Amino acid sequence: MLVVLLDSYHLGDPLFIPQLARDVAARKAGAVFVHGSGEAGERVLESRGLVPEAVAGVWAVSTPEEAAEVERATRDLNRRIVHEMNEAGTPAVRVMAADRGLARRDADGTIRAGRTAWLATLAAQGGVAVVAALVAGDGSARVEADAAAVAVAIAEALGADGVALVGTGRVAALADATAPVPLADAQAAGALADAGLAARTVALSTVPVRLVSAASLRSQSPPDGPMLTA
């Protein structure tokens, strides 16, 4: 089971999503991709004259209207990723973390996985789920959650081998690492696209967090790359 956490750095690159779609199509196997609002959420808040601040991977909002704007931006990003994958020939489906009880946020803010059997079945049949990190809010609203927490919760519930993070082009410099690579060393090598996201994922996860190249997602085998440690 492949669970990939997509960061805002890559999702903000207009060339990344089309290439990702082609890589996933070449892989011809099921997978789960998780993402937050990224730069799309930042831009929509800036358009309201705000100076966005991210707290634990989530854009801080102070009104229901701002939360709705971030939700809309996240849904639009999710739609765009799935569209590109379908155009490339991958049977991808849109999923919100709140759908079918997939994930929930406890009163203390902890993200927990719920019913994941349907997601496992989808991936086993060769489908690709693109999960937006939107959990239940007040009423029918969906609010942004930390994509790292959502990806970890889903990976643990699915019994995945770990969570894959796409690194920069410099991840190749760490390819020969046989022991886990400390986050500080990966950052010093310039291999982390989003150091904060990587640190949160490692801190939250009880499954391995692996830094991989985008090209490795083409392989039907689990992407190869160094494990990250705190």
Side-chain angles (χ1 to χ4, degrees):
M1 175 65 70
L2 176 63
V3 177
V4 182
L5 177 55
L6 300 174
D7 60 85
S8 58
Y9 171 85
H10 283 102
L11 293 176
D13 179 353
L15 301 179
F16 175 74
I17 294 177
Q19 182 59 57
L20 174 68
R22 292 191 289 271
D23 290 338
V24 174
R27 187 170 182 268
K28 299 184 185 300
V32 177
F33 290 83
V34 180
H35 69 89
S37 69
E39 288 189 5
E42 181 179 23
R43 287 194 300 269
V44 75
L45 292 175
E46 287 176 341
S47 72
R48 297 175 64 91
L50 302 171
V51 179
E53 179 183 1
V55 179
V58 176
W59 294 115
V61 295
S62 56
T63 67
E65 291 76 19
E66 292 170 10
E69 292 282 6
V70 172
E71 178 187 355
R72 187 175 303 112
T74 308
R75 288 180 180 273
D76 287 346
L77 175 59
N78 184 265
R79 185 179 296 108
R80 183 159 64 93
I81 296 171
V82 170
H83 172 75
E84 291 284 357
M85 288 191 178
N86 285 329
E87 286 292 300
T90 295
V93 297
R94 299 182 61 212
V95 179
M96 305 300 113
D99 289 351
R100 303 185 190 180
L102 178 60
R104 69 181 188 275
R105 184 176 61 180
D106 291 347
D108 64 357
T110 301
I111 300 298
R112 301 187 189 280
R115 296 191 294 270
T116 58
W118 63 273
L119 192 63
T121 299
L122 174 69
Q125 293 174 344
V128 171
V130 182
V131 182
L134 293 173
V135 297
D138 296 331
S140 61
R142 297 289 184 265
V143 296
E144 185 178 20
D146 183 8
V150 172
V152 165
I154 289 174
E156 291 175 349
L158 291 175
D161 292 334
V163 177
L165 277 169
V166 180
T168 70
R170 297 185 179 181
V171 71
L174 305 174
D176 294 333
T178 55
V181 175
L183 284 164
D185 291 353
Q187 185 171 10
L192 298 179
D194 186 331
L197 181 69
R200 292 197 310 277
T201 308
V202 169
L204 291 166
S205 188
T206 59
V207 296
V209 178
R210 196 171 295 278
L211 190 63
V212 304
S213 67
S216 70
L217 297 177
R218 298 177 64 89
S219 172
Q220 291 189 4
S221 302
D224 191 25
M227 282 177 49
L228 296 174
T229 66

